């Protein structure tokens, strides 16, 4: 296949006529393929049916330190669940608060606490006038939605191959005391699959922000979500690095088992310094008499320890890997040589990031829709849904079957070709 | 036994010497009896072990409308769980959002939403300057803690035999637009066990507050928590009454199964009008990808329907009833004739309210502590922990055994006697 760049207008016109025919053929098929969200597939969920067979006798509900998980209390969670989640996200049990079913909700809650009460005794965000946040882009749409909803101004920071553009991060947080946070997904980042290198983690852990109430919001969502047994990214432990830098209060770490046990029915945690923990517990104590400890002990009885989780995640990988490989092999075959898109080849996580030529992503999304393939809207991975280059698309291959992914990715490739040639020929994209 | 009122100083001095001896004897026993919190007893929790044996095959996780409870999504919950909780708290399934494990957390969350974003498009509470709340007293300490934490000014409204002092409520909310809410526990109220009569419910449902963003926060915590098969309070359905009054947006109803299945590991809900629901869902959609639906379907599979819950609560009643009766029989025997305390005789709920003569409650609490009995601190049932009369004590008999309650209540009665005579004799209460 020849690159479109060196082709004449006439050749491109001929090509697009052919491509439109292919599109029209797909339209007649009335397909309904969905690659919008990072949802586990039923086959992954089936792996965990045993988790609801481990609590039988009343002794099964009693934790090692004699806590009856069926009753109120014990705000930070039972020790063995703190250990389980701590081992997963690089925290000591005493740094962990197991706080419900959803790490996103904990993140929201921590920010809401900052809004209404202030972080560690500082003035509430809502009483500080305009505040800002650094958003590593492309990033997780729901992180940005929270900030937009709460009226916090978002500033884009580019994600490079080894982490955020740290020169910019350091410069901004040093000079601007209205910047209160940065969103990071350090391992197999949503949506690029990028993992932060050691330099980036060390520089983040050593940040000296102008704002005392600045924190790194470290969403370690994919800590054990490797695709390959032998090709695995490892990210430095930011809690340890922050301690080394005498900067322990700089970071909140978040994790959950939503993509390990059941989505939305797992256990989630925040891990942080003693100061931060005290501050958060004061808040949690107002909110609730306690989080669901039965679900905590259920997860402990089922997985036993971090090795149990790792073994379980190998089974997930066996289901996920062929899906990622199908996305990549179709893209390689269909557009690999055309220089009309770049895409990531992650070793883990839930997404592939694809960049079209600037100005094409919205059109690709629309073309896919016409052909029966739903993708996350173009721009979704950016604050305010605005991709400055209109080139980014997030591919979520976890939920559909391998065959569906094959079809959907072929359609995506076709859409990229069409959008690229339309742009070159200045076709307005509405024919 | 003679009332203390008609006794001479000399007789009272003689009496208190005897009582101090009894106190000193208790002190030597080093008892450790706890009647502080409304926690279910282990025997109640044992009734529900079956709930973790109902999810076996993958079909068990699929709801009637084909929702896979193991995966993300479906913010308001599965239909059959909305039906189950709706039937419990008097709401139609379409009025219900099943939102996690803790109704207290939902209440906090709804208020936090009001603080940061405003209720139904009104200005955020935090941008309205000082705001206020009506607190029916005595009431639930954690309701008041939330308001104190968020800096909301609390105004006491007396709870009478048939509900809040409605003349005062109506007058205040009509004239003061800074009053944004009222806390109500309408059935078997914490801590008095009082249930609201039909007139109070109708007047509440018809409130015409000056503030558009005023709401009734209706914590229906004890809707099915009867102690007797034949003596049961019934409270009018406030959602229906509000509809009749063309005032549907006036109320949020909250309920949970924490004191039905497992404490802190149940399912909880908010039920409200269509407008309020839309407003809350917009907020929940920012917070989380969804609440724990596996726990929802677990509760549905186990209890099946409201009749299942009612049958289960009869078993709870069989455990709770003798405890309440022990409290009352000891109090009747020890201080029934002395006119030194009044106490409630609830048909349900988790508490007995006791009022000493004015100025004695703090001292009674301290005396109990000396003798090895922990009670909720005096004043806890009032905003800012300040009982204007220093006379109220909350008795929580659910957790201890019947024998422990017998001992603890004897000690309580002794403490009341001592504190009363000390007051009459102007003894400073530190001997």
């Amino acid at each position: 296949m020849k690159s479109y760049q060196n082709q004449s207008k006439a050749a491109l016109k001929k090509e697009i006529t052919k491509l439109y025919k292919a599109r029209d053929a797909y339209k007649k098929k009335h397909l309904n393929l969905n690659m919008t969200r990072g949802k586990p597939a039923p086959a992954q969920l089936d792996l965990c049916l045993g988790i609801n067979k481990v609590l039988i006798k009343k002794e099964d509900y009693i934790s090692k330190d004699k806590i009856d998980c069926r009753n109120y209390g014990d705000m930070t969670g039972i020790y063995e669940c703190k250990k389980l989640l701590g081992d997963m996200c690089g925290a000591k049990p005493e740094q962990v608060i197991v706080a419900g079913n959803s790490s996103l909700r904990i993140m929201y809650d921590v920010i809401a606490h900052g809004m209404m009460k202030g972080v560690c005794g500082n003035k509430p965000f809502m009483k500080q006038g305009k505040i800002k946040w650094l958003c590593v882009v492309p990033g997780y749409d729901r992180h940005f939605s929270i900030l937009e909803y709460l009226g916090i101004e978002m500033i884009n920071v580019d994600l490079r191959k080894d982490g955020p553009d740290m020169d910019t991060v350091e410069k901004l947080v040093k000079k601007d005391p209205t910047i209160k946070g940065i969103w990071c997904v350090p391992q197999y980042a949503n949506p690029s699959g990028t993992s932060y290198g050691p330099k980036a983690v060390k520089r983040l852990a050593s940040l000296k922000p102008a704002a005392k109430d600045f924190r790194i919001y470290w969403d370690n969502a994919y800590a054990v979500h490797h695709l390959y047994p032998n090709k695995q990214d490892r990210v430095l432990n930011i809690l340890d690095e922050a301690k080394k830098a005498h900067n322990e209060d700089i970071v909140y770490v978040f994790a959950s088992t939503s993509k390990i046990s059941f989505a939305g029915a797992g256990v989630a945690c925040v891990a942080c310094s003693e100061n931060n923990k005290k501050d958060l517990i004061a808040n949690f104590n107002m909110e609730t008499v306690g989080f669901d400890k039965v679900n905590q002990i259920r997860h402990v009885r089922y997985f036993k320890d971090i090795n149990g989780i790792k073994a379980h995640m190998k089974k997930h990988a066996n289901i996920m890997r062929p899906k990622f490989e199908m996305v990549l092999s179709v893209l390689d075959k269909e557009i690999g040589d055309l220089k009309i898109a770049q895409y990531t080849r992650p070793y883990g996580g839930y997404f592939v990031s694809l960049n079209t030529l600037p100005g094409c992503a919205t059109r690709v999304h629309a073309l896919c829709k016409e052909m029966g393939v739903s993708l996350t809207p173009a721009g979704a991975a950016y604050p305010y849904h605005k991709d400055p280059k209109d080139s980014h698309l997030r591919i979520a291959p976890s939920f559909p079957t391998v065959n569906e992914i094959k079809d959907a990715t072929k359609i995506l490739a076709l859409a990229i070709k069409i959008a690229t040639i339309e742009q070159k020929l200045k076709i307005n994209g509405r024919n």
Side-chain angles (χ1 to χ4, degrees), chain A:
Chain A
M1 220 183 310
K2 276 203 318 190
S3 161
Y4 291 169
Q5 278 176 308
N6 307 319
Q7 291 193 34
S8 67
K9 266 201 174 181
L12 288 175
K13 275 186 185 166
K14 205 175 152 190
E15 173 74 2
I16 205 167
T17 307
K18 208 178 75 187
L19 297 173
Y20 280 147
K21 270 189 192 162
R23 175 194 63 178
D24 294 342
Y26 275 120
K27 282 167 83 166
K28 280 181 194 149
K29 285 190 178 181
H30 301 291
L31 297 172
N32 182 15
L33 302 169
N34 192 315
M35 296 215 290
T36 58
R37 304 274 357 148
K39 280 173 81 164
Q44 288 168 273
L45 304 170
D46 290 348
L47 296 171
C48 208
L49 292 178
I51 201 167
N52 275 309
K53 300 170 189 171
V54 293
L55 298 175
I56 306 299
K57 304 179 303 295
K58 61 180 164 176
E59 296 75 32
D60 299 331
Y61 294 86
I62 311 297
S63 75
K64 272 182 193 159
D65 35 3
K66 306 290 176 207
I67 290 167
D68 187 339
C69 293
R70 304 169 304 174
N71 221 330
Y72 288 122
D74 308 288
M75 185 56 64
T76 61
I78 57 170
Y79 177 85
E80 50 265 62
C81 193
K82 288 188 257 189
K83 169 87 177 138
L84 183 73
L85 295 183
D87 283 348
M88 197 172 89
C89 67
K92 295 180 191 70
E94 56 271 21
Q95 293 175 311
V96 174
I97 307 170
V98 189
N101 70 318
S102 157
S103 56
L104 188 71
R105 194 167 190 214
I106 306 177
M107 296 174 219
Y108 175 92
D109 213 50
V110 172
I111 298 175
H113 166 63
M115 293 295 282
M116 292 186 288
K117 292 291 292 184
V119 172
C120 289
N122 290 283
K123 219 174 173 182
F125 292 157
M126 282 191 76
K127 299 204 165 152
Q128 292 194 37
K130 194 84 195 160
I131 65 155
K132 300 172 198 155
W133 216 269
L134 302 184
C135 297
V136 182
V137 291
Y140 178 29
D141 53 351
R142 283 180 172 273
H143 285 166
F144 306 150
S145 303
I146 291 174
L147 300 179
E148 188 173 358
Y149 182 71
L150 296 176
I152 297 171
E153 189 181 319
M154 294 180 267
I155 301 168
N156 292 5
V157 173
D158 286 334
L159 179 60
R160 306 215 167 138
K161 276 185 183 160
D162 56 353
D165 168 3
M166 283 307 302
D167 290 344
T168 300
V169 171
E170 283 168 351
K171 202 179 72 187
L172 288 173
V173 304
K174 195 172 176 180
K175 75 165 190 198
D176 189 346
T178 71
I179 296 175
K180 303 299 183 185
I182 181 170
W183 280 125
C184 296
V185 183
Q187 178 146 344
Y188 304 135
N190 176 350
S192 64
T194 307
S195 296
Y196 293 11
K199 272 190 196 157
V201 178
K202 281 176 187 288
R203 287 174 74 177
L204 282 162
S206 308
L207 277 180
K208 297 288 175 220
K212 277 186 192 172
D213 47 2
F214 173 93
R215 295 291 182 273
I216 300 165
Y217 293 74
W218 192 257
D219 183 0
N220 206 350
Y222 306 104
V224 292
H225 301 64
H226 309 289
L227 290 170
Y228 297 93
N230 303 318
K231 290 185 285 186
Q232 299 190 346
D233 293 344
R234 281 203 56 197
V235 174
L236 277 191
N237 184 325
I238 194 160
L239 291 164
D240 290 350
E241 294 303 320
K243 190 169 185 181
K244 279 188 220 164
H246 306 288
N247 205 22
E248 284 183 84
D249 294 341
I250 197 73
V251 64
Y252 301 115
V253 172
F254 305 94
S256 97
T257 69
S258 263
K259 293 186 183 81
I260 298 172
S261 54
F262 293 140
V267 282
C269 75
V270 54
C272 53
S273 72
E274 197 58 32
N275 283 339
N276 286 335
K277 200 177 136 190
K278 263 187 213 157
D279 184 49
L280 293 183
I281 289 173
N283 191 66
F284 287 139
N285 268 329
M286 290 298 122
E287 284 185 44
T288 177
V289 190
F291 299 102
D292 182 345
K293 293 189 301 302
V294 170
N295 208 27
Q296 292 178 26
I297 203 152
R298 183 182 289 122
H299 278 72
V300 169
R301 296 263 178 266
Y302 183 64
F303 289 113
K304 299 201 167 58
D305 57 26
I306 185 66
N307 292 319
I309 286 186
K310 283 180 181 169
H312 190 78
M313 292 312 286
K314 280 185 190 163
K315 298 181 205 165
H316 274 248
N318 290 338
I319 294 170
M320 292 281 274
R321 198 167 47 242
K323 297 183 177 185
F324 276 76
E325 289 178 347
M326 179 57 79
V327 169
L328 295 174
S329 75
V330 172
L331 290 177
D332 287 349
K333 189 174 164 217
E334 298 289 331
I335 59 169
D337 302 331
L338 294 182
K339 295 181 184 161
I340 59 176
Q342 288 189 306
Y343 38 91
T344 56
R345 297 176 177 279
Y347 291 166
Y350 262 66
F351 304 100
V352 171
S353 246
L354 182 143
N355 279 294
T356 64
L357 297 181
C360 289
T362 302
R363 177 64 181 148
V364 170
H365 179 269
L367 283 162
C368 282
K369 189 96 200 153
E370 287 178 20
M371 292 186 271
V373 173
S374 299
L375 293 179
T376 315
Y382 288 78
Y384 310 108
H385 314 275
K386 277 184 194 157
D387 171 5
K389 293 182 185 160
D390 188 24
S391 76
H392 181 266
L393 290 164
R394 180 178 89 164
I395 304 172
S398 58
F399 195 77
T401 63
V402 175
N403 275 334
E404 287 170 338
I405 288 166
K406 188 176 177 181
D407 290 342
T409 313
K410 277 185 186 171
I411 287 168
L412 168 63
L414 175 60
I416 294 169
K417 289 180 196 171
I418 292 174
T420 309
I421 301 181
E422 283 178 346
Q423 194 186 51
K424 286 191 190 294
L425 295 178
K426 295 178 181 149
I427 296 170
N428 74 8
R430 297 243 163 250
N431 66 330

